[in-house]
């Protein structure tokens, strides 16, 4: 048996929606990486305390429990995977992979068991359903009833809003109320944000682009609190995916971007990114609401009790220490104006596109972050309104397309070199390399060469060759009368363009000959004689 086992297309359930990813078992740990978010779950092998194999809706699944009270569930295995996984667990983890069947009787009377961060409803010692307590947003009690409410997920087509448990009115051995005991067990592990104690620090009146407004940001040990004039948001650090610090093109401002999953909500609006805008000239002196020894012990030198400097540096430093995430900054890319971003438009709003070492990010309306590993291909397209700009198109592996338009043609060479160096798949690479010197986007007043016309000629030749092969080899069934008609129109259009170009050339030559003859005629005195007569 090898040192590792890997499985693709393994699914995890997150607040009502399925996320697929890759699961790898090694001697040191169990690692799962989500294809959607890129988030990685890592379970050290010594912390594994129990493992269950069971039949679920997507084939077979594994439930892993750790000594720290966490529970992980992964589905999508085949029946034949049980033997090798069981043997691997025995050999490397010293854990028995036990088979456990789910109860499908349909009974609604059973026992609620709290195991770590999981609530399991069992009938006859077999689980009917399980609730991750981290998905619970609120817990309310009644006379003999406990109501559990859940966080909502935008990716889920159908969402579970709440579950109500009836608790019989009997008193425990210690005289406690069973309803209150049930609620306390839920709240102890639920994702219910409550501000307890004083904030570590407070930043007053920070300019926020999304959600728009001025907000006071209170930094707590486990979450940050945005307090505005109309809305308040509490953001747990566990929902922060990435941090970005991006210089504005004017070199006088800085963007600080926080990527969130799940997003914060304002009515029906979802904000997947929190974007703050700072002036580089704004300074701040800050004192943390903690003793020096406590700061040193908790943050291990990442923060100090008294800090001073530019405001954006202090905010990013505090967020990096509390969230425990690296801050992504632009890499080695430099545009035509020697800035690290490109001015463009996305969805009719102007913004800035930043080529990063591992992806692209666009700010700010709406913000877009695309990792290289989720990009299928990119394309350089000619602008629709003017030859002085071009469009940059990105297509993802999920068939989503993002078009960043109105990019200055001087940025073409730099962006092409960047994309090529990152080994991204470029559509029509042959055409693009021929236009790499930016002459492909020259205005007709500056250069007689029309790259767009050349491209159309090449595409016309390809269509003609494709039509010829279809006739010789038989109908493939993919060409419709409409596509053949469009192909013929394109060929006719190209032929007319060639004819017009030829007549334009002849007209220019005739004009030169006329001007030469007229000059000779006047020099010989013909013009003066005509006036005298």
């Amino acid at each position: 048996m090898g040192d590792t086992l890997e499985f693709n297309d393994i699914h995890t359930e997150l607040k009502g929606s399925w996320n697929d990813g890759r699961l790898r078992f090694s001697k040191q740990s169990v690692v799962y990486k989500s294809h959607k978010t890129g988030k990685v779950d890592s379970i050290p092998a010594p912390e594994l305390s129990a493992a269950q194999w069971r039949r679920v809706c997507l084939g077979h699944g594994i439930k892993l429990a750790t000594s720290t009270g966490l529970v992980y569930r992964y589905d999508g295995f085949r029946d034949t995977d049980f033997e090798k996984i069981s043997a691997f667990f025995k050999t490397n983890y010293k854990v028995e992979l036990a088979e456990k069947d789910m109860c499908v009787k349909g009974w609604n009377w059973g026992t609620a068991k709290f195991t770590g961060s999981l609530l399991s409803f069992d009938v006859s010692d077999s689980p009917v359903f399980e609730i991750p307590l981290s998905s619970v947003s609120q817990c309310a009690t009644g006379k003999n009833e406990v109501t559990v409410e859940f966080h909502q997920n935008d990716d889920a087509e159908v969402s579970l809003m709440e579950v109500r448990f009836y608790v019989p009115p009997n008193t425990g051995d210690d005289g406690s109320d069973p309803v209150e005991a049930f609620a306390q067990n839920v709240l102890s592990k639920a994702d219910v944000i409550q501000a307890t104690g004083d904030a570590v620090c407070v930043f007053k009146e920070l300019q926020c682009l999304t959600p728009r407004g001025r907000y006071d940001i209170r930094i707590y040990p486990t979450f940050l609190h945005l307090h505005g004039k109309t809305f308040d948001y509490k953001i747990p650090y566990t929902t922060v995916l990435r941090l970005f610090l991006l210089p504005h093109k004017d070199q006088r401002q800085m963007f600080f971007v926080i990527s969130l999953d799940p997003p914060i909500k304002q009515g029906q609006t979802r904000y997947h990114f929190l974007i703050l805008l700072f002036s580089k000239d704004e300074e701040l002196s800050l004192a943390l609401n903690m003793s020096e020894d406590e700061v040193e012990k908790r943050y291990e030198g990442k923060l100090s009790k008294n800090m001073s400097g530019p405001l954006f540096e202090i905010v990013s430093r505090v967020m990096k220490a509390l969230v425990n995430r690296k801050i992504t900054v632009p890499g080695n890319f430099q545009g035509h104006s020697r800035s690290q971003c490109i001015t463009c438009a996305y969805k009719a709003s102007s913004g800035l596109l930043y080529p990063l070492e591992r992806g692209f990010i666009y700010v700010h309306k709406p913000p877009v972050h695309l990792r290289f590993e989720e990009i299928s291909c990119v394309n350089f397209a000619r602008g629709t309104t003017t030859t002085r700009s071009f469009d940059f198109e990105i297509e993802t592996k999920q068939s989503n397309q993002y078009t960043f338009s109105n990019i200055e043609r001087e940025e073409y060479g730099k962006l092409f070199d960047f994309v090529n160096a990152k080994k991204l798949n470029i559509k029509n690479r042959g055409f693009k390399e021929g236009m790499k010197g930016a002459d492909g986007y020259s205005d007709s007043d500056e250069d007689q060469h029309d790259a767009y016309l050349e491209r159309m000629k090449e595409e016309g030749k390809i269509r003609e060759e494709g039509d010829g092969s279809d006739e010789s080899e038989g109908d493939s069934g993919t060409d419709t009368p409409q596509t053949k008609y469009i192909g013929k129109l394109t060929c006719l259009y190209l032929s007319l363009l060639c004819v017009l170009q030829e007549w334009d050339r002849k007209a220019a030559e005739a004009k030169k000959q006329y001007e030469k003859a007229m000059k000779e005629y006047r020099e010989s005195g013909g013009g003066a004689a005509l006036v005298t007569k």
Side-chain angles (χ1 to χ4, degrees):
M1 180 179 293
D3 294 338
T4 61
L5 286 178
E6 288 197 13
F7 299 91
N8 293 318
D9 298 326
I10 300 300
H11 306 274
T12 59
E13 183 268 331
L14 178 63
K15 298 179 182 178
S17 70
W18 290 104
N19 294 335
D20 61 331
R22 184 179 64 188
L23 182 65
R24 178 167 58 88
F25 298 108
S26 66
K27 291 183 177 181
Q28 295 78 23
S29 62
V30 177
V31 178
Y32 177 81
K33 183 175 182 180
S34 171
H35 291 329
K36 177 185 176 183
T37 63
K39 188 176 181 180
V40 177
D41 293 333
S42 181
I43 310 171
E47 292 185 5
L48 281 177
S49 59
Q52 287 184 0
W53 176 270
R54 52 193 184 174
R55 184 69 181 268
V56 292
C57 60
L58 296 177
H60 291 78
I62 287 180
K63 174 185 172 184
L64 302 176
T66 67
S67 56
T68 58
L70 298 177
V71 178
Y72 300 87
R73 298 178 298 170
Y74 303 107
D75 297 348
F77 297 95
R78 293 174 294 182
D79 191 16
T80 55
D81 295 332
F82 174 76
E83 295 296 334
K84 57 183 179 182
I85 296 177
S86 178
F88 189 89
F89 274 41
K90 286 181 181 178
T91 305
N92 298 284
Y93 303 151
K94 303 296 186 285
V95 173
E96 182 77 21
L97 184 60
E99 294 189 72
K100 186 75 172 179
D101 293 331
M102 304 290 289
C103 179
V104 292
K105 293 182 178 180
W107 294 1
N108 63 350
W109 185 270
T111 305
K113 294 183 179 180
F114 294 89
T115 307
S117 60
L118 200 70
L119 164 60
S120 175
F121 184 78
D122 296 358
V123 172
S124 303
D125 203 30
S126 295
V128 178
F129 62 85
E130 294 173 338
I131 298 176
L133 295 179
S134 60
S135 299
V136 175
S137 64
Q138 193 55 263
C139 181
T141 59
K143 183 177 180 181
N144 294 315
E145 192 176 72
V146 177
T147 302
V148 178
E149 299 178 10
F150 301 98
H151 291 290
Q152 300 305 302
N153 190 344
D154 295 336
D155 297 330
E157 296 182 1
V158 179
S159 296
L160 178 63
M161 303 297 294
E162 66 178 31
V163 173
R164 296 185 180 183
F165 294 92
Y166 172 77
V167 182
N170 56 344
T171 306
D173 297 335
D174 55 353
S176 61
D177 183 3
V179 172
E180 290 297 328
F182 190 105
Q184 288 303 318
N185 284 329
V186 172
L187 290 172
S188 63
K189 298 293 183 180
D191 186 16
V192 179
I193 302 176
Q194 298 175 345
T196 56
D198 296 329
V200 175
C201 60
V202 179
F203 299 101
K204 293 284 188 180
E205 292 290 319
L206 295 186
Q207 183 180 355
C208 196
L209 298 181
T210 56
R212 192 171 185 84
R214 292 273 180 176
Y215 287 87
D216 294 341
I217 297 184
R218 298 184 175 93
I219 305 294
Y220 289 89
T222 58
F223 69 96
L224 63 89
H225 180 199
L226 269 70
H227 175 69
K229 294 182 179 179
T230 308
F231 299 100
D232 277 17
Y233 304 96
K234 293 178 180 178
I235 304 174
Y237 297 142
T238 54
T239 66
V240 176
L241 283 180
R242 294 174 185 86
L243 302 174
F244 302 89
L245 187 61
L246 309 170
H248 197 283
K249 195 169 185 177
D250 60 11
Q251 301 301 321
R252 296 195 302 268
Q253 300 179 95
M254 297 290 291
F255 294 108
F256 186 66
V257 183
I258 303 174
S259 174
L260 303 172
D261 184 37
I264 56 178
K265 304 173 184 178
Q266 180 178 307
Q268 296 298 318
T269 308
R270 304 292 183 265
Y271 296 105
H272 290 271
F273 293 88
L274 175 65
I275 303 180
L276 302 173
L277 182 63
F278 299 96
S279 172
K280 281 188 173 182
D281 300 332
E282 195 171 356
E283 301 279 335
L284 178 70
S285 295
L286 179 69
L288 299 183
N289 190 21
M290 303 168 68
S291 65
E292 292 185 3
D293 294 339
E294 192 176 359
V295 172
E296 180 64 28
K297 180 180 178 181
R298 180 175 293 186
Y299 301 113
E300 300 175 352
K302 297 177 182 178
L303 297 177
S304 56
K305 178 174 175 57
N306 297 295
M307 296 180 290
S308 62
L311 178 59
F312 73 90
E313 286 188 1
I314 294 178
V315 172
S316 58
R317 185 178 171 187
V318 170
M319 288 298 300
K320 179 182 178 182
L322 272 73
V323 177
N324 198 22
R325 302 272 186 194
K326 293 181 180 179
I327 295 181
T328 303
V329 297
N332 299 323
F333 175 82
Q334 275 197 345
H336 175 70
S337 58
R338 298 193 176 278
S339 62
Q340 295 176 297
C341 58
I342 296 172
T343 303
C344 61
Y346 176 65
K347 289 189 175 180
S349 296
S350 181
L352 299 172
L353 179 66
Y354 291 83
L356 309 174
E357 288 301 312
R358 296 184 180 180
F360 296 95
I361 186 170
Y362 172 83
V363 290
H364 76 96
K365 196 174 182 180
V368 177
H369 178 232
L370 298 169
R371 294 173 288 122
F372 289 154
E373 58 189 56
E374 63 178 322
I375 293 176
S376 172
C377 61
V378 300
N379 185 36
F380 293 84
R382 185 161 183 179
T384 57
T385 58
T386 174
T387 57
R388 296 183 180 275
S389 66
F390 68 95
D391 297 348
F392 182 57
E393 301 171 351
I394 299 178
E395 186 174 334
T396 66
K397 294 177 181 177
Q398 287 77 30
S399 300
N400 296 323
Q401 185 165 329
Y402 301 84
T403 301
F404 303 97
S405 57
N406 296 336
I407 303 175
E408 295 179 357
R409 64 176 182 181
E410 288 81 8
E411 303 284 4
Y412 176 81
K414 299 285 188 181
L415 186 56
F416 185 94
D417 290 340
F418 175 83
V419 170
N420 202 33
K422 295 301 180 182
K423 299 180 180 179
L424 295 179
N425 183 25
I426 303 176
K427 280 187 176 180
N428 299 331
R429 176 179 287 272
F431 299 132
K432 304 309 174 189
E433 290 180 347
M435 301 188 298
K436 188 176 178 180
D439 291 336
Y441 296 105
S442 297
D443 190 77
S444 58
D445 295 337
E446 302 173 5
D447 195 347
Q448 293 297 326
H449 175 69
D450 190 340
Y452 188 67
L453 176 61
E454 297 299 324
R455 177 177 172 181
M456 292 295 293
K457 288 180 180 178
E458 292 292 335
E459 291 181 351
K461 291 179 181 178
I462 293 173
R463 288 194 182 94
E464 289 177 357
E465 293 174 359
D467 292 340
S469 62
D470 287 343
E471 291 174 3
S472 61
E473 297 177 6
D475 188 5
S476 62
T478 58
D479 287 341
T480 62
Q482 290 84 353
T483 57
K484 290 181 179 179
Y485 178 69
I486 293 172
K488 290 180 180 179
L489 283 180
T490 304
C491 294
L492 179 60
Y493 172 70
L494 294 174
S495 300
L496 289 173
L497 283 178
C498 293
V499 171
L500 288 173
Q501 275 194 331
E502 180 66 20
W503 281 106
D504 287 342
R505 184 184 62 79
K506 290 182 178 181
E509 291 178 358
K511 184 178 180 181
K512 289 180 181 179
Q513 293 176 1
Y514 167 78
E515 290 175 350
K516 182 179 179 183
M518 179 60 72
K519 184 179 180 182
E520 293 176 353
Y521 172 70
R522 288 175 178 170
E523 289 177 351
S524 63
L530 182 63
V531 171
T532 303
K533 182 178 178 180

